[in-house]
Amino acid sequence: MTNRKIFVLSVCLILISGFVFKTWAQGPEPAKKYTISGKVIDDELGVPLEYATVSIVNVNDPNDINGGVTNAEGAFAIEVQNGTYNIAVEFISYETKNFNNRTINSDLDLGTIKLGLGSENLDEVVVQAETTQVDVRLDKKIYNIGKDLTTAGGTVSDALNNVPSVSVDVEGGISLRGNENVRILINGKPSAMAGFGDSNVLSQLPASAIERVEVITSPSARYDAEGTAGILNIILRKKETLGFNGSLNLQTGYPANGGISANLNYRTEKYNLFATTGYRYDESPGNANFDTRYFDVQQDAFLDSIQYTENSEDRDYDRIRRNFNTNLGMEYYITDMSSITGSVFYRKGNDDDLTTNISDYFLNGSPQIGTTRYEKETEDEDSYQIALNYINKFDNNGHQLTADFQYESDQEEQGSFINEPVRYNNTDSLGVNIPREQTSTIEDQKQYLIQADYVRPIGEESQFEAGYRGEFENTLTDYKLFQENADGTLVLNENQTNIFDYTENVQAVYSQYGSKFGEFSFLLGLRLENTNLKGNITSALTEAELQDIYSFEIDTEFDNNYLGLFPTVNLIYELGEDENITLGYNRRINRPRGWFINPFPSRSSRNNVFQGNPNLRPAFSNAFDLGYLKKWDKLTLTSSVYYQHETDAFSRIQERVNITVANPSFGEAGEPEYVNQEVIRSIPFNLATNDRMGGEIGFLYNPNDWLRLNGSFNYFRFELDGQFNGTDYSQKNTSYFGRFSSKVSLPWKIDWQTNAFYRGPSDDVQGTQDGILSIDVALSKEVLKDKATVSINARDLLNSRKRSQQITTDDFYQESEFQWRQRQINLSFIYRFNQQKKRNERRGGEDNMMDEDGEGF
């Protein structure tokens, strides 16, 4: 979208905002009428039903018809004159609630009205709630995770991999519709629980903590503009039922893992205490291999200048993860209309990893020399988050103000010791020695969040909203590399040692206005964001020396500001009670994370390294999404087509370059001599453009009481245009992925579930990737008078979840295969106390009353 178009749209929205404020200021004319009010929620999900229809018909005069729709919180307030009325509350594909012959001579509050899916008896509703359900809103799709057996005892990453449109790769990376530039939120806000944007942290949190997942492919102006693919908002559980209740979860499995977690809640009329605490131990073996064939003869300075044309690496990863996390909080009800919530989240991690890398070198097929590289790595991490939320409701019609403050801290210490003995030598050279290495990394992250949101309903079918959000984040990374000298002493390698100080500050204001005209609803918004990215690299090397070493210009101190307007448009048209069409447009930004910017290469291999690029710029995108929803009695069909145009999009390439390393030979003073070593470097860079288009279709089908089926298929095409270091990386490609899930209820309260996922092969910037198939199976049984559940599951049953790719450049050809986690078998036991199984556990274990963004948690 051009700047001119953005300006025109901005002016229009400002005029709308002015009109809204004028209307608000004038206010409606006072009338001597009585108000019928209430709140409508989904009986299974416990979430508000926006745009539910309320019809009010005068019993004595059928032509006297009144009514309205609910707002974003499911609330309604309709004025009528005194009389006797029949009241009906309806929502697409839900059962209708009737309140007949109500005499109105004063205000009438109908309270919370729960609508269930249109079923003939409660048992059918109970069964349907066990599988994933979808609720379509103007700017999002809400998926209730349901009673997913394949993730029992699993993690948040495991649960996300079963959500339509979402895929989690073998390294834990999360993508939406095949696009990795997705923003992860916890309860509507960035959180230490999501690891400051590092999605690997989600593999340490239990899946049982999730209430629902909001897939937001066309975010409204309310949300941060980060993430060109969209937003995944993970809503965690929080009980609202009175008294003391909770659950205990035990799990064990192979490869060796075990865990215990508890969800506890105590609620009175004045306050609500809640806690989720757990400990996990996990042994997660993995493996990888890299076979690289060079088109000319190579030399390795470490290996006494051995010449070779082929290098083969076989890696085994033995990882031990120990993780404790707890979330404690209290919500205090100041008045009937206001409350304050405080929570503290703490995570303690301790990891021990051993990577064994067997390397063999060949010259025209003849073996030359081989090494076995052992890297022992330890990691200690402490994270905590303090959050405060205040909400004040001015009335029961959705007029409210919320304010949030959040502080997060993450401290991580990593240390590794690398030893690489030579296994054999077929040359005449003697005394080949590879110096030992030791690394130390200390990372300190701090983040502050300040947010305020104001919502003002206007009349019965319109709403205005405005707010401010400020996020202030700093990351300090202190990296040291020590290498062995001729005396066997580890000395500091000043060329690789560095301190990287990175700051990202984002401030934003927004406003949006939504309304409904008959069957047509719209939500228009505009967000103004300022992004400030600052970095400082402290190193013994000058900018000129860094440029010589890394083959591109490097600014060791930068301070960049980006000011942008981000308009959003979301439309929905109801074709009938069970059918609608949605259309969305939004502009988004993707900011580079710190590890993508740090220019000092990793040390996991001497031949294959990753290096950040401090010259990366944020990427911007304009996206359109057209969706269709149709519901029948037992089938729900969702579909959409989408298009995205992205500028300065991130991509990653591999190239052969020289980096400075310590030579095995040393001077008399014991100081290392530095020489150039050729390696294959993986580095991110900015493309000129990335055009992505595609379509997806999904279904939820419950043919009878004992069988539930759901599936989705996503097909997309992208066209890349850009170059780096004088090489053109433009490319066109298509790919697809699909998933299918079935759940069968067997006799004796036994359930059987199967999940299958397949991602098709694709062309990358420099090569191809093979398809990936993954199948999960699970069985569960209710025990102890339905107070407990025992389940067993096998993840990646065929042990086939591996990434295989081929890369071709002008200098080399490489084949590789990577498996982050091997097949796992888990056994879990969940015990529930003081919970009503039929009405609470069957809907996912909770009677959740959080608003749509998870505010108040």
Side-chain angles (χ1 to χ4, degrees), residues 494-495 537-550 552-557 599-600:
E494 295 184 354
N495 278 13
I537 302 170
T538 303
S539 169
L541 301 176
T542 65
E543 289 186 2
E545 290 172 327
L546 286 171
Q547 179 179 343
D548 290 340
I549 291 175
Y550 300 130
F552 60 89
E553 293 185 4
I554 293 178
D555 188 357
T556 58
E557 185 172 359
F600 292 89

Side-chain angles (χ1 to χ4, degrees), residues 102 612 653 822:
R102 294 298 178 98
I653 55 96
Q822 299 176 9

Side-chain angles (χ1 to χ4, degrees), residues 161-416:
N161 208 35
N162 291 335
V163 174
S165 304
V166 180
S167 60
V168 183
D169 66 22
V170 294
E171 295 177 282
I174 298 172
S175 61
L176 182 60
R177 291 174 169 173
N179 190 339
E180 296 180 352
N181 299 327
V182 58
R183 177 72 156 168
I184 307 294
L185 301 179
I186 304 291
N187 296 327
K189 295 180 285 292
S191 172
M193 301 183 196
F196 293 94
D198 180 6
S199 59
N200 286 328
V201 175
L202 298 177
S203 64
Q204 302 173 17
L205 300 177
S208 58
I210 297 181
E211 171 67 23
R212 65 185 187 272
V213 176
E214 298 179 348
V215 178
I216 310 172
T217 53
S218 183
S220 67
R222 174 192 304 127
Y223 297 100
D224 180 12
E226 169 74 19
T228 55
I231 294 173
L232 289 180
N233 187 20
I234 301 170
I235 305 299
L236 302 182
R237 298 184 186 276
K238 185 186 71 168
K239 282 199 176 283
E240 293 285 347
T241 51
L242 294 176
F244 180 67
N245 50 74
S247 63
L248 179 67
N249 190 335
L250 303 173
Q251 68 131 66
T252 186
Y254 178 83
N257 72 81
I260 180 172
S261 63
N263 294 288
L264 305 175
N265 188 87
Y266 180 70
R267 168 89 186 259
T268 70
E269 295 291 346
K270 198 63 178 176
Y271 61 87
N272 182 31
L273 297 172
F274 52 93
T276 300
T277 301
Y279 175 82
R280 290 179 61 88
Y281 173 89
D282 183 21
E283 294 184 10
S284 182
N287 60 84
N289 61 74
F290 301 82
D291 189 4
T292 308
R293 300 178 181 89
Y294 300 90
F295 300 148
D296 54 12
V297 177
Q298 304 295 299
Q299 285 192 195
D300 193 315
F302 279 97
L303 300 177
D304 200 23
S305 298
I306 294 297
Q307 293 186 334
Y308 61 94
T309 54
E310 181 181 352
N311 167 241
S312 175
E313 295 186 26
D314 288 314
R315 301 181 192 175
D316 284 321
Y317 303 96
D318 293 315
R319 296 181 291 261
I320 297 178
R321 304 281 191 260
R322 307 173 189 89
N323 179 264
F324 170 79
N325 64 82
T326 184
N327 187 56
L328 307 174
M330 183 180 76
E331 183 176 7
Y332 178 73
Y333 306 99
I334 303 172
T335 68
D336 292 340
M337 305 294 286
S338 63
S339 67
I340 186 169
T341 301
S343 65
V344 177
F345 170 78
Y346 175 74
R347 180 178 67 246
K348 172 70 174 178
N350 177 255
D351 301 340
D352 289 301
D353 299 344
L354 173 62
T355 301
T356 303
N357 188 357
I358 299 175
S359 295
D360 292 297
Y361 298 83
F362 303 86
L363 180 62
N364 300 321
S366 176
Q368 298 298 296
I369 201 168
T371 68
T372 302
R373 177 186 175 96
Y374 300 98
E375 180 176 4
K376 296 181 180 180
E377 182 178 12
T378 61
E379 179 179 329
D380 292 308
E381 182 179 12
D382 280 281
S383 298
Y384 68 89
Q385 171 185 291
I386 300 173
L388 292 173
N389 168 263
Y390 171 76
I391 180 170
N392 183 71
K393 298 181 179 180
F394 300 101
D395 55 33
N396 290 318
N397 303 325
H399 184 194
Q400 67 179 35
L401 172 69
T402 61
D404 292 273
F405 171 79
Q406 194 167 279
Y407 171 74
E408 304 175 11
S409 174
D410 182 84
Q411 292 182 329
E412 182 177 316
E413 295 186 12
Q414 290 181 336
S416 66

